[in-house]
Amino acid sequence: MAETKKPAGTQDTDQTKSTAAATKTAAKKTTAARTKTAATAKAGTKTATEAPKATAAKKPAAKPAAAKAAEKPAAAKPAAAKKAPAAKPAAKAKAADAVATKEAAPAKATAAAKPAAAAAKKPAAKRTSTRPTKAQLAAAKEAADKVFAERLARHHDELRWLYMELYDNGDMFAELCDQMKRFYDERTPKLRALDAEREAAGAWYRASDMLGMQMYIDNFAGTIKGVEKKLNYIQQCNVNYIHLMPFLDTPADKSRSDGGYAVSDFRRVNPELGTMDDLAHLADKCHDKGISLCMDFVMNHTSEDHEWARRARAGEGEYMNRYFFVKDQGIIDQYTRDVPQVFPTTAPGHFTYLPELDQCVMTQFYPYQWDLNYKNPRVFNEMMYNFLFLANQGMDIIRIDAVPYIWKQLGTNCRNLKQVHTIVRMMRMIGEIVCPGIVLLGEVVMAPVEVVPYFGTVEKPECHMLYNVTTMATTWHTVACRDVRLLRQQLDAVFGLPREYTFLNYLRCHDDIGWGLDYDTLKQWGMEEVSHKKYVNDYFQGFTPGSVSRGELYNADPVTGDARFCATTASMCGIEAAGFEGNEEAMDTAIRKDVMLHAYVFTQSGLPIIYSGDEIGQVNDYTYKEDPEKAEDSRYIHRGKFDWELSKNIKKKGTVQERIFDALKQLEGIRRDEPVFGADAEAWTKDYSDTSILWIVRRAGNETLHAVFNFSDDAKTIWMPEAGIYTNLVTGETAEVTTVDMPAWSFIWMLQK
Ligand code: GLC
């Protein structure tokens, strides 16, 4: 096995992505150890070392209108730009599938130039009585064009600058501008109205009534249509943001689909789940109910079944240039040396050998997930069109999957390179021009220092939201150690960031928990990385005396001893064990722990996300072991089917489901209604003498919230900072309080005015 070790502290954050499912295919991957004999490449094939070229760049074409429209004379240079983009003759070539947009030139302002959304809203409603006249339609169109032209003008110079810096290809940039206009034109009036509303509202996703839920469509309701039928339940859960796990077309064989993260067609829904029309219909219904939809945009790679990959495999040079093909073992060796591995045990190596071409293709994740080559502007442009196409189906939040990996450069570690930030920044601007209502959510599972730059700067933002992954992992470390010191440091670091930086907070997601903790700090307290990882993994498997958790390791590396962990929140809190033992007292504690952890997530600034099933305390699902396509991927333990039978218990007083469901609902209501939970409230942690007590303070106006969490197996008496009148937000009681008795794993939300 060829291995490259990462610097301490970043190791397992990268590794957070491995899975056991690839054991079968892993053998196919090349490693540095393999010495290949070079054979002649198939005629017409190219290798990755060749510079990618824009396709079909042959004959001159007029400069596309949309690009022209936004050009200003002697535009000011964007501040971040370092060198002048090489000026290219305006239109040397016509890109293959450019769609020239004729009417993109900015309309001269007229009386009819109302906001496009408002103008577009009117006519459709009363089609029978008042059909819009030609003049009205023309006016609406003019108004809409003006909005686009203004948005494009706002970003054009910076966008062009960055594009030219990366690709130095004016024709492809012109094509991009034309396509942006086309997607803008195709956006429905309703979506444009939503864009306008959200543009006016500002950062709409930061409202404290936002609550997300992450779900697999098939597990939750079978199909997209099924999800639509369950919207009432979703609303009953107070949820107004649904993250639908990957639903685009993917190989039917689950051992080649990575749970849908191997996309074979970005414009087609997996037929097992429905159609693109079903999706657009669901989005529409959701919008009527004030619910937003989030989807994964897997832009680092495609499935080997994607048309581009199939054509590349057939030796078509143009398509090979959309991936990284390598013949030279020296290059493979260098990547192996410099680039950390995503799946070190189950899918080692960075390349997969294709005998039909006698070449290797880069596959950083699984051998069936081919890394896209963003050095090729055709790849960037086409992927942006896919993004806009999906946004136009009514998606509100685009989760950019595995974003740190998208730019590769021999001689670097191929993570978080500056070109990645250029691409994300361009994507942000493209979104703001075409569909400003949408939100980019970055999946950056990296050390904290690498995460924050994905927000960009306040002036030049990149992602709107990022996963708070380190806080999540540190939370579970805190549960296992019953020591809040590291968590406090982590929370204070996050609380200290600009308020515009919005994190997505969660206890569990669909992936494993990688122990990407701050080991430099832990070392000061006597906790060493290797032994500590073993400790937390033992604890959560229930091997440590006193541990009530149940779950399984993931991608355990027998050489390094490294491993990550999989289980549902409820199982990690002890609900599975207590249920199995029929131990009511243990169940009380487990439910208290589960609710307390949710209260703690709700106390953080940002957007909380619940994993579907957590609202009723669903435990681990071991049936994946019986499915040969899933058996080797222990992440399926926490990806079980939603149990609708069990969910009926939310109406039965005293059941586990009712206790958790009602408790969460109450907390969500408080969070929504109390200004101290607002995104702009100040927040910090308070030093307290007992290291198993986490104390978060939030302040808004003259109100102060003391949110105190007992991360201990023992009851504690805590002292309020000053005797005074406090309102317990959960019990509703207002009284003079000096001390509070807190059972093990309980919390209080005390409001002081
Ligand atoms: C993301 C997903 C993970 C998947 C990987 C590869 O990290 O969360 O489930 O395996 O991307 O696409």
Side-chain angles (χ1 to χ4, degrees), residues 518-533:
D518 176 354
Y519 289 101
D520 287 341
T521 301
L522 286 180
K523 221 178 260 171
Q524 295 166 23
W525 301 322
M527 292 176 240
E528 294 289 337
E529 180 166 347
V530 174
S531 54
H532 187 63
K533 282 182 179 167

Side-chain angles (χ1 to χ4, degrees), residues 19-31 34 253-258 304 313 343 345-354 363 365-370 628-629 632-633:
T19 168
T23 343
K24 275 189 279 179
T25 36
K28 279 199 269 165
K29 284 202 156 195
T30 59
T31 68
R34 172 186 288 164
D253 169 2
K254 295 208 167 15
S255 66
R256 285 201 309 121
S257 100
D258 186 21
E304 63 181 342
R313 197 193 278 273
F343 298 146
T345 51
T346 53
H350 298 88
F351 290 88
T352 297
Y353 180 66
L354 303 178
T363 53
F365 287 79
Y366 291 121
Y368 53 80
Q369 287 168 314
W370 294 15
E629 288 179 6
E632 289 172 70
D633 191 337

Side-chain angles (χ1 to χ4, degrees), residues 363-377:
T363 53
Q364 291 207 74
F365 287 79
Y366 291 121
Y368 53 80
Q369 287 168 314
W370 294 15
D371 283 67
L372 283 169
N373 175 10
Y374 279 89
K375 284 184 180 163
N376 182 344

Side-chain angles (χ1 to χ4, degrees), residues 91 103 201 322 356 500 537 676 731:
E103 59 294 303
R322 297 184 187 197
E356 53 275 67
E500 290 83 358
N537 280 327
V676 276
T731 63

Side-chain angles (χ1 to χ4, degrees), residues 690-703:
D690 185 329
T691 54
S692 58
I693 297 293
L694 175 71
W695 196 308
I696 300 175
V697 185
R698 295 186 66 90
R699 183 173 295 156
N702 59 358
E703 294 190 341

Side-chain angles (χ1 to χ4, degrees), residues 695 706 708 717-729 731-742 748-752:
W695 196 308
H706 294 275
V708 189
T717 299
I718 57 123
W719 289 76
M720 296 308 286
E722 50 191 0
I725 306 291
Y726 294 86
T727 301
N728 182 323
L729 292 178
T731 63
E733 208 179 322
T734 300
E736 178 156 349
V737 182
T738 314
T739 60
V740 182
D741 292 331
M742 296 183 67
I748 47 165
W749 275 351
M750 299 292 254
L751 189 69
Q752 191 182 26

Side-chain angles (χ1 to χ4, degrees), residues 420-421 424-425 428 440 453-457 460-464:
V420 173
H421 291 280
V424 179
R425 173 71 189 136
R428 172 76 179 245
L440 297 181
Y454 284 86
F455 282 120
T457 61
K460 292 183 187 300
E462 295 177 22
C463 292
H464 298 80

Side-chain angles (χ1 to χ4, degrees), residues 382-528:
E382 293 296 335
M383 290 305 283
M384 289 306 101
Y385 309 155
N386 286 333
F387 150 54
L388 295 175
F389 172 86
L390 293 163
N392 275 358
Q393 307 310 306
M395 297 300 107
D396 302 282
I397 297 99
I398 303 285
R399 174 188 182 273
I400 322 176
D401 185 61
V403 60
Y405 301 78
I406 59 180
W407 192 274
K408 286 90 181 173
Q409 186 68 54
L410 195 60
T412 71
N413 71 354
C414 298
R415 302 284 189 273
N416 311 299
L417 299 182
K418 82 177 192 343
Q419 293 87 343
V420 173
H421 291 280
T422 302
I423 287 178
V424 179
R425 173 71 189 136
M426 287 200 286
M427 201 168 164
R428 172 76 179 245
M429 287 190 277
I430 291 168
E432 284 184 5
I433 292 166
V434 180
C435 43
I438 64 119
V439 162
L440 297 181
L441 163 64
E443 191 225 4
V444 184
V445 183
M446 294 278 152
V449 51
E450 303 285 11
V451 174
V452 175
Y454 284 86
F455 282 120
T457 61
V458 174
E459 297 76 33
K460 292 183 187 300
E462 295 177 22
C463 292
H464 298 80
M465 278 198 294
L466 294 173
Y467 281 86
N468 202 349
V469 57
T470 309
T471 302
M472 182 276 292
T474 309
T475 301
W476 291 109
H477 145 91
T478 308
V479 170
C481 298
R482 285 140 287 172
D483 178 341
V484 305
R485 286 176 296 170
L486 187 66
L487 186 56
R488 277 195 60 207
Q489 272 193 18
Q490 171 63 22
L491 288 171
D492 280 331
V494 174
F495 289 147
L497 293 170
R499 307 265 164 81
E500 290 83 358
Y501 293 179
T502 306
F503 279 102
L504 195 142
N505 300 309
Y506 60 114
L507 287 171
R508 291 296 338 212
C509 73
H510 65 292
D511 280 331
D512 49 295
I513 302 174
W515 302 112
L517 308 171
D518 176 354
Y519 289 101
D520 287 341
T521 301
L522 286 180
K523 221 178 260 171
Q524 295 166 23
W525 301 322
M527 292 176 240
E528 294 289 337

